[in-house]
Amino acid sequence: VAAARVTRGQIWCAAGLALQQLIVSAVFIDLEPVASRYDMYSRTYPSTDVFDLEHPGITRRIVAVDADGVTSDVTACASQLKVPALSAVLDAGAPVPPVSAAPLTACLSGGRAPRRFAVVEDQYLFDWNRGQFSYRYRDKPLGTLVAPD
């Protein structure tokens, strides 16, 4: 079988991509999806405590709760509503402001009407002893919004 030859165009292309990566890495610019420093793969931390501070792993959710205590997660829908007050509720680390639940009724499809909407928080951290991610806590209640009648 005859060996495949590399053309001059292929050599120039490979050299151009290598040069581009050197420049992008040296100048610290990202032009996604064309060029990236790929620093997300090469970042180091002075200690596990610094890593934990920079990656708290906290997420918030809004759940509808009916009269029997059955919950339904409406976070994705609430995010799409583009209501600033709801965005503030989902901002991890900030206190939960008093917010009207009226816009959340658009997130419900049939079924039972909720009695209230609850804001809950999860923390998913890296467990340095076990060498894997795990929940520190789940569904920690942060606040309740009274569902409109």
Side-chain angles (χ1 to χ4, degrees):
V1 176
R5 293 189 48 135
V6 178
T7 66
R8 283 187 182 158
Q10 291 170 328
I11 291 171
W12 280 106
C13 184
L17 289 172
L19 180 62
Q20 171 187 297
Q21 189 59 51
L22 286 171
I23 293 169
V24 165
S25 296
V27 182
F28 295 100
I29 55 173
D30 283 318
L31 302 170
E32 293 182 19
V34 178
S36 173
R37 298 177 301 157
Y38 298 104
D39 59 333
M40 68 286 244
Y41 301 114
S42 63
R43 179 101 191 264
T44 59
Y45 299 88
S47 70
T48 57
D49 293 332
V50 173
F51 177 88
D52 291 340
L53 281 173
E54 291 187 25
H55 303 280
I58 295 175
T59 55
R60 289 187 178 173
R61 296 179 292 115
I62 299 175
V63 293
V65 184
D66 72 11
D68 294 328
V70 178
T71 62
S72 174
D73 193 329
V74 296
T75 307
C77 176
S79 296
Q80 292 175 357
L81 292 175
K82 307 255 190 271
V83 176
L86 292 176
S87 296
V89 165
L90 294 172
D91 182 17
V96 176
V99 176
S100 168
L104 294 172
T105 57
C107 295
L108 304 171
S109 58
R112 301 168 62 148
R115 170 164 278 162
R116 62 187 170 91
F117 289 92
V119 180
V120 296
E121 184 176 86
D122 303 329
Q123 188 173 28
Y124 192 67
L125 293 172
F126 191 77
D127 184 338
W128 296 101
N129 294 322
R130 294 185 0 208
Q132 64 187 29
F133 282 92
S134 62
Y135 281 99
R136 181 172 173 213
Y137 57 82
R138 292 184 85 172
D139 296 336
K140 175 182 172 182
L142 295 180
T144 301
L145 309 172
V146 178
D149 292 331

